[in-house]
Amino acid sequence: MDDLSRLALSAKRGCRESEEAILRAFLPEINDMVSQNWYMVFNEGSLTKRLTDKLLYTILAFDERKGSFSRLARNNLREGLFEFIRSRKYSRRTVRSLYHKSGHEDDESSSLADTLPDVLANVEDQAIVKEKIALLAKGDSRKEAILLAWSDGLYNDSALSVLLAQRFGGKPESHRQAIKRFRAYCQVSLEGIA
């Protein structure tokens, strides 16, 4: 009886050190199987887990009267690999492109760029808005707060003046007057740019 068979019998009786020794002995073979068949599976980690589970099952099913543990383990690992490849959830033949999934099969003018949102344009728009805010505010924190509130959709002057009074101090009425003057200034400035 070889060392792996003795370790398997010991692991079958509950010895964790023997089980870990067997896993360490077969881990290079499992990794080789996974790396040699990477193109046949979608998730290499799940294949490694399946083969490790198959090896643990082999330890429990081992009978020394039926032969060597190493031969049984290698056969079961090979069998586990083939089972995993056969039972994978997604067949490569059924994977369709995003172009076909979008429902534009008949329309040749549609492309992937038409289907996906233009993230770069959104980022550029946000950058342009921030630049305009900085140019109009000219370093004044109250004007910058007003512009940020407007860009967030807060157009109610009385609510905005209360917020400004809480943040910068003063009376809401004086902030409301400042908002009116600043709105007129911004309209004139933006008309000149456009």
Side-chain angles (χ1 to χ4, degrees):
M1 186 180 293
D2 62 339
D3 290 338
L4 284 176
S5 297
R6 276 192 225 99
L7 284 172
L9 288 174
S10 170
K12 188 175 181 179
R13 285 187 227 113
C15 179
R16 296 288 295 161
E17 291 85 17
S18 300
E19 185 178 298
E20 290 173 4
I22 290 173
L23 288 173
R24 278 194 303 271
F26 280 97
L27 194 60
E29 290 183 39
I30 290 173
N31 288 337
D32 286 343
M33 285 180 155
V34 171
S35 65
Q36 289 171 359
N37 296 292
W38 64 269
Y39 59 92
M40 296 177 136
V41 295
F42 284 105
N43 187 351
E44 296 172 27
S46 59
L47 175 59
T48 304
K49 172 83 169 95
R50 176 82 63 95
L51 292 177
T52 306
D53 291 344
K54 189 76 169 176
L55 183 61
L56 293 174
Y57 171 76
T58 304
I59 291 172
L60 296 175
F62 176 63
D63 185 7
E64 70 270 7
R65 293 173 289 165
K66 293 185 178 179
S68 165
F69 175 76
S70 60
R71 183 176 42 203
L72 177 65
R74 285 186 181 90
N75 286 340
N76 282 351
L77 286 175
R78 203 171 311 115
E79 179 184 317
L81 172 68
F82 294 140
E83 284 174 6
F84 185 82
I85 290 172
R86 270 182 298 197
S87 69
R88 61 184 176 197
K89 293 179 182 175
Y90 306 104
S91 171
R92 291 196 188 276
R93 284 180 233 111
T94 62
V95 174
R96 297 180 65 190
S97 71
L98 186 59
Y99 174 77
H100 293 292
K101 285 184 180 179
S102 65
H104 300 293
E105 295 172 5
D106 299 330
D107 188 11
E108 293 181 13
S109 64
S110 296
S111 67
L112 184 61
D114 297 334
T115 307
L116 297 175
D118 191 2
V119 177
L120 184 60
N122 293 341
V123 170
E124 288 175 350
D125 289 344
Q126 291 172 358
I128 290 172
V129 167
K130 287 182 181 178
E131 286 178 11
K132 286 182 181 179
I133 287 174
L135 287 173
L136 289 171
K138 295 182 182 176
D140 186 2
S141 57
R142 181 170 72 168
K143 290 178 181 178
E144 187 175 347
I146 294 169
L147 288 168
L148 287 173
W150 287 345
S151 67
D152 288 339
L154 181 62
Y155 298 111
N156 187 351
D157 287 351
S158 47
L160 182 56
S161 64
V162 170
L163 287 174
L164 292 174
Q166 289 173 354
R167 175 142 187 225
F168 298 106
K171 296 182 180 180
E173 186 59 36
S174 63
H175 288 290
R176 189 176 298 118
Q177 295 299 322
I179 291 171
K180 284 183 183 179
R181 286 192 302 272
F182 187 58
R183 177 179 288 125
Y185 167 75
C186 290
Q187 287 172 348
V188 169
S189 298
L190 292 175
E191 283 176 5
I193 294 173

